[in-house]
Amino acid sequence: WTCSIIGRMRRLPEATGKGLSAHEAVNAGINAPIQGLAANINDTAQILIERKLNAQAAFLVGSHHDSLQVQAADWYLDEATAIIVKCQESAPRALRSLGLDLPPGLLKVETSFGPWGMKD
């Protein structure tokens, strides 16, 4: 098993075996603490964002690894972006009660606009 920084446990019984499944389980165990923390931060940000956005003008449409996709009305785009960035930046602080203590400014929030999958 392995454990994330905030205490979420991932069981990996295959790691004690042999062969490809054991190798994959060990790799998953190595990656799990960081990937799990990123998922915790992203999920927390998603909750914060959903509480703050004007539901008539913007809403979350997807989440993929460490990113969120939001659909927003053109007139609400600037305000929605500010809300999203603030919530993403404050998500680690929301996990402080679970033992996460990241220095402010450690994580960088990036935004992009346009059709899903398009880069600026």
Side-chain angles (χ1 to χ4, degrees), residues 17-84:
K18 296 185 188 280
L20 182 60
S21 64
H23 177 73
E24 290 173 345
V26 168
N27 282 343
I30 291 168
N31 291 329
I34 298 302
Q35 290 176 338
L37 178 60
N40 293 139
I41 292 170
N42 202 47
D43 292 345
T44 301
Q46 185 173 349
I47 292 165
L48 297 172
I49 290 166
E50 286 183 331
R51 290 178 182 166
K52 299 282 184 183
L53 285 180
N54 175 342
Q56 303 301 314
F59 53 93
L60 286 153
V61 294
S63 174
H64 185 73
H65 297 296
D66 60 353
S67 67
L68 297 173
Q69 290 84 40
V70 178
Q71 184 172 329
D74 288 341
W75 61 266
Y76 189 62
L77 192 57
D78 290 338
E79 186 176 345
T81 301
I83 290 168
I84 292 163

Side-chain angles (χ1 to χ4, degrees), residues 100-117:
L100 181 64
D101 191 18
L102 294 180
L106 182 65
L107 302 178
K108 181 181 177 190
V109 176
E110 296 178 9
T111 60
S112 61
F113 309 94
W116 189 354

